[in-house]
Amino acid sequence: MPPNNPQPTIEPATRDDLEAVTDLWVRLAHDQRQHDSAVRADPNRETMRETLAAYQVADGLLVARLAGEIVGFASVTIERGSLELDSTRGLLSNIYVEPAFRDRGIGAALLDAAEAAAAERGADEVLLEVMADNEAARRFYQREGYDEFRVTMSRSLENRDENDTHSKEDG
């Protein structure tokens, strides 16, 4: 008798997985639009496919399979910059689980595998970004032991005069 809650297989993506993972990334980008992401999903499809291919070649693209079907993915790399740092940081750039397969531990399994992949490459910690109003994602990462590290702030420059705290008359 098969288990009621089959566990996913988390493994490195193959080249043959790139189209399916790119499709998932487009869904992720569409989902993030509701949280004020400026990333356009469909126009960035081919660029992201190339980016995901680079992750795949570097063993930084992981997939979650359930009954042979890809139901989620994560991409992780090591931060490369020109500054000397006190630690080596892994960067989790994407993690996504199809909505129909959420709340089954698949996201946690992907995150664990991404952390292990970063640690194998010498990372001491993992950084990630999450949209400020994506409460579900923030709760997920907090449950998994992540704390706020850096806060990014933004301001629209479209109507700067309307946003000024002092009117021009105050001179």
Side-chain angles (χ1 to χ4, degrees):
M1 189 174 214
N4 290 339
N5 187 14
Q7 291 304 300
T9 301
I10 309 297
E11 60 192 10
T14 67
R15 284 199 65 74
D16 291 340
D17 296 331
L18 285 175
E19 284 306 317
V21 174
T22 302
D23 290 343
L24 292 180
W25 180 87
V26 169
R27 287 186 210 130
L28 167 64
H30 275 292
D31 286 356
Q32 291 303 300
R33 301 287 287 183
Q34 72 180 322
H35 300 293
D36 295 327
S37 172
V39 175
R40 294 180 175 167
D42 296 305
N44 287 303
R45 178 184 181 72
E46 285 311 307
T47 300
M48 201 59 207
R49 186 188 185 292
E50 292 171 15
T51 300
L52 291 167
Y55 279 104
Q56 186 269 323
V57 168
D59 292 327
L61 185 61
L62 303 165
V63 293
R65 292 184 205 279
L66 213 49
E69 177 185 356
I70 296 175
V71 298
F73 80 98
S75 55
V76 64
T77 190
I78 299 299
E79 181 180 50
R80 303 276 183 232
S82 58
L83 300 177
E84 293 287 329
L85 302 176
D86 287 333
S87 66
T88 300
R89 300 191 286 205
L91 300 175
L92 180 72
S93 54
N94 295 288
I95 189 167
Y96 180 77
V97 175
E98 287 273 41
F101 296 95
R102 292 181 185 163
D103 299 320
R104 299 186 191 187
I106 296 171
L110 276 167
L111 182 60
D112 185 58
E115 290 171 349
E120 286 173 15
R121 291 188 194 106
D124 304 307
E125 61 185 330
V126 171
L127 300 181
L128 57 86
E129 289 185 5
V130 61
M131 299 304 290
D133 77 341
N134 189 342
E135 293 295 330
R138 290 172 61 147
R139 280 192 306 274
F140 168 73
Y141 291 120
Q142 287 168 343
R143 274 195 317 270
E144 296 299 321
Y146 283 74
D147 296 312
E148 285 186 8
F149 167 68
R150 182 184 297 152
V151 175
T152 302
M153 301 173 75
S154 70
R155 175 183 179 190
S156 172
L157 298 180
E158 248 178 64
N159 300 307
R160 279 189 56 207
D161 292 340
E162 294 173 23
N163 291 335
D164 282 348
T165 54
H166 304 290
S167 68
K168 294 190 187 305
E169 291 83 39
D170 289 345

